[in-house]
Amino acid sequence: MQLSAKAAEPVRETRFVEMVFPGLSNHYGTLFGGNALNLMGKAAFVAAARRARCNVVMATSDKIEFHQPIPVGELIEIVARVEREGRSSMTVCVEMIRENLASGQRDVVTRGNFEMVAVNEHGRPVAIAQSAPLNLKHQLT
């Protein structure tokens, strides 16, 4: 079996999964908000970098909503989507979904928007290439 990659349709979203272990928790035994923001920022970065195919930086985070705590032992899925694209900036919407592995119950518990900017090697904004390759599709051959 050989893996090959070829260009395909644009990447629509980026997904990460993470277990909430005690090292990510606060003194209440739930995911510490700072760690949630870290994971969401990382997902926003990856989604924007995959779209721009160059370096990106975070300019702002906006309207981060924490709806429910996430206890130690639950799985979290972080979903990031580029929702708006300007000349050099992108708005990335990020949702965090908690999943109880025993019951399978899933709930969207955190949402936020991140403004990401494509930059050059000097940290200056650059235009996002409209013809940038947006996806690699893996196939088994």
Side-chain angles (χ1 to χ4, degrees), residues 8-96:
E9 72 244 15
V11 173
R12 299 289 181 216
E13 61 188 22
T14 293
R15 292 177 176 262
F16 291 173
V17 294
E18 182 80 42
M19 278 299 300
V20 180
F21 288 122
L24 293 176
S25 73
N26 56 27
H27 59 291
Y28 296 111
T30 60
L31 179 65
F32 175 60
N35 288 328
L37 288 171
N38 177 312
L39 292 166
M40 293 173 76
K42 191 183 299 186
F45 166 80
V46 171
R50 289 172 92 185
R51 170 55 196 103
R53 294 295 177 199
C54 67
N55 291 326
V56 297
V57 296
M58 184 186 303
T60 64
S61 59
D62 184 40
K63 197 167 175 154
I64 308 297
E65 303 169 351
F66 295 91
H67 297 285
Q68 295 176 23
I70 305 167
V72 167
E74 291 204 349
L75 181 75
I76 51 176
E77 182 175 4
I78 303 103
V79 182
R81 295 177 191 86
V82 175
E83 296 287 331
R84 185 203 60 81
E85 187 177 315
R87 188 185 80 75
S88 62
S89 66
M90 294 159 277
T91 302
V92 181
C93 298
V94 181
E95 290 183 336
M96 186 175 288

Side-chain angles (χ1 to χ4, degrees), residues 51-52 54 85 87 126-134:
R51 170 55 196 103
C54 67
E85 187 177 315
R87 188 185 80 75
V126 296
I128 298 166
Q130 297 304 308
S131 61
L134 299 177

